[in-house]
Amino acid sequence: ILQRALAYCPGRLVGVAIDDTRLPKTGRCIQQAFYQRDPLSPPFHVNLLLGLRFLQASLLVPVHRLAQVSTRGLPIHFEEVSRVKKPSKKAQPEAWQAYKEALKQHNLSQSFVATMGQLRKELDLAGGADKILVLAGDGSFCNRTCFRAERDRTELICRARKDAVLCFRASEGGRRFYDTETFTPDAVRQDEERAWKTTKVFYGGKRRKVRYKEVAAVYWQGGAGRLPLRLLVIAPTPYRKRKSGRKYYRQPAFLLTTDLKSSAKQLLQIYLDRWQIEVNHRDEKDTLGVGQAQLWNVKAVPKQPVLAVAAYSALLLASLIAFGAERGAAYEPLPKWRKKAYRPSCLDLVTLLRKEMAENPELLKKFEVKINNTQLVRAAAA
């Protein structure tokens, strides 16, 4: 998938969105399932969720260069990240010490570092040795483990806290490396002496103006250490719920990146395209039912979701190669109550696949697939 999709990424930078997702489970015999924070819980009350945790990476294919559609995310990595089993309260001190050491080696950040090296190798094998891999993550990957890891032709761009303590390098002539004067990303946003810059990025179906501030060569002592970083502050975007309504503002975004050379427009485009991995998560869970299989075997539990996500990624790539990025005449017409859709959804692709299976049964003989009810195959869920 990465090798064939790389032809749609002509630039020097190859964006990959990375995020973790949770698959709810109810079985008590699933060893990998554990209680974790429910991301759908309200901010004033944290709920717990019993389920599996997976780390996913999606290649951001900039199809907005070909048509007026948003970037398409193609999953290229889906790996289970289970937790370390906690010993009992009556366990020996040696068991607790081993548990604390295992927590440092087996966690989400360490899995991110391993995935980063694996993606770099796969990109080289796919023919992208001369390209720079840019990983876009949320705040859970903005920590010292991810930023201080060894990187080979790989850059990071992650969302940072607004109160992160940053500084510049101390003036030459002394032994001090960090400057004594510190600042926060939110202070940069409120600093009137730093002028806002404007650029255009493709987001939400059309090119929009984005205001941002840029501060180069900053240091994050508690995170990246002596690695120079680049701070990007995105201004809140005003919007109206109706044409005659008042203006509302979203929250500002504070980004830290290790890329000091690329243009801010390219980095902002990659980070704004990171939303496509959330679209992948919705399609995988709601449309395809990833994680709904009733499995309890230790080997089968992580393999079945990976197979389903791989098939989903192949379906997206096949539609891009066969029919292009837009929703053309090959797809079923939309209902009358639906507005115009510029990009085919996962449900559109599944409906088209069912239709082609019904019209070409001879192609399915070698797979031993029998279709009895053509009307049922063509029907799609509302």
Side-chain angles (χ1 to χ4, degrees):
I1 293 176
L2 181 60
Q3 183 178 6
R4 296 197 177 188
L6 200 60
Y8 295 91
C9 304
R12 185 179 68 93
L13 302 181
V14 176
V16 174
I18 192 164
D19 196 7
D20 63 310
T21 184
R22 295 161 178 81
L23 303 181
K25 291 292 181 179
T26 57
R28 300 291 179 176
C29 297
I30 303 175
Q31 296 186 16
Q32 295 95 327
F34 63 97
Y35 283 99
Q36 48 196 311
R37 179 185 176 275
D38 187 1
L40 298 181
S41 59
F44 55 84
H45 188 280
V46 177
N47 297 330
L48 297 180
L49 170 70
L50 177 65
L52 307 174
R53 182 175 61 181
F54 283 82
L55 182 64
Q56 177 174 333
S58 295
L59 177 67
L60 301 177
V61 182
V63 291
H64 58 81
R65 299 185 178 184
L66 307 176
Q68 287 293 108
V69 294
S70 300
T71 298
R72 176 70 83 176
L74 299 181
I76 56 176
H77 184 85
F78 198 74
E79 179 185 6
E80 181 207 5
V81 182
S82 59
R83 67 165 185 177
V84 180
K85 188 175 181 180
K86 192 174 182 179
S88 64
K89 296 181 179 180
K90 299 181 181 180
Q92 299 295 329
E94 293 80 7
W96 280 99
Q97 184 65 26
Y99 168 72
K100 294 179 181 180
E101 294 296 330
L103 283 179
K104 299 178 181 179
Q105 301 297 329
H106 303 281
N107 51 53
L108 188 62
S109 298
Q110 292 292 347
S111 299
F112 174 86
V113 173
T115 301
M116 178 172 56
Q118 183 179 353
L119 292 177
R120 181 66 258 182
K121 293 180 181 179
E122 293 177 355
L123 184 60
D124 293 342
L125 295 176
D130 57 338
K131 295 182 179 293
I132 302 298
L133 179 64
V134 181
L135 298 181
D138 57 3
S140 59
F141 304 106
C142 189
N143 52 53
R144 65 172 64 190
T145 302
C146 300
F147 273 83
R148 296 189 183 186
E150 296 183 1
R151 294 175 290 103
D152 179 23
R153 292 163 294 160
T154 304
E155 304 293 346
L156 303 181
I157 178 169
C158 299
R159 188 160 187 163
R161 295 170 55 97
K162 66 178 182 180
D163 56 351
V165 180
L166 306 176
C167 67
F168 294 107
R169 186 166 183 176
S171 57
E172 299 181 357
R175 299 176 59 184
R176 181 182 295 275
F177 183 86
Y178 302 108
D179 195 0
T180 56
E181 183 179 355
T182 60
F183 58 93
T184 61
D186 193 48
V188 174
R189 180 185 65 87
Q190 299 178 7
D191 189 2
E192 298 181 355
E193 296 183 359
R194 296 184 182 272
W196 291 97
K197 300 179 182 179
T198 305
T199 186
K200 274 193 174 184
V201 295
F202 193 92
Y203 188 75
K206 64 179 182 180
R207 303 197 177 275
R208 305 174 186 270
K209 290 184 179 181
V210 175
R211 296 192 306 138
Y212 71 96
K213 289 184 179 181
E214 179 181 0
V215 183
V218 301
Y219 293 90
W220 182 23
Q221 302 182 39
R226 298 192 177 187
L227 177 68
L229 301 176
R230 189 174 170 188
L231 174 64
L232 297 174
V233 180
I234 305 178
T237 304
Y239 69 99
R240 286 188 174 94
K241 293 184 177 180
R242 60 182 66 90
K243 291 185 178 180
S244 60
R246 62 182 290 266
K247 278 188 177 182
Y248 294 88
Y249 288 86
R250 294 183 176 90
Q251 296 294 328
F254 308 99
L255 310 178
L256 284 176
T257 177
T258 58
D259 193 338
L260 305 178
K261 298 180 180 180
S262 302
S263 64
K265 180 179 180 179
Q266 292 177 304
L267 297 176
L268 292 177
Q269 183 69 67
I270 290 177
Y271 186 81
L272 292 178
D273 290 340
R274 197 199 72 87
W275 173 251
Q276 296 302 319
I277 196 172
E278 305 294 345
V279 178
N280 293 150
H281 291 165
R282 182 198 61 188
D283 292 342
E284 293 162 3
K285 297 178 184 179
D286 295 346
T287 306
L288 301 180
V290 174
Q292 296 180 9
Q294 302 299 316
L295 303 171
W296 59 268
N297 187 273
V298 177
K299 296 182 179 180
V301 166
K303 285 186 177 181
Q304 194 277 334
V306 172
L307 177 62
V309 172
Y312 164 68
S313 182
L315 182 65
L316 295 179
L317 179 60
S319 68
L320 184 61
I321 296 176
F323 305 105
E326 295 181 301
R327 193 183 191 279
Y331 302 95
E332 292 294 317
L334 292 172
K336 295 182 179 180
W337 53 267
R338 277 286 308 274
K339 295 182 180 180
K340 185 177 180 181
Y342 298 96
R343 190 179 73 172
S345 64
C346 180
L347 192 59
D348 290 332
L349 301 179
V350 173
T351 304
L352 180 59
L353 179 61
R354 289 173 175 173
K355 178 182 177 182
E356 293 179 348
M357 290 172 62
E359 294 176 350
N360 304 278
E362 67 278 358
L363 299 178
L364 305 176
K365 290 183 178 180
K366 61 180 180 179
F367 300 106
E368 299 181 358
V369 177
K370 297 181 180 180
I371 301 176
N372 298 325
N373 193 341
T374 305
Q375 189 71 19
L376 179 62
V377 173
R378 290 187 177 183

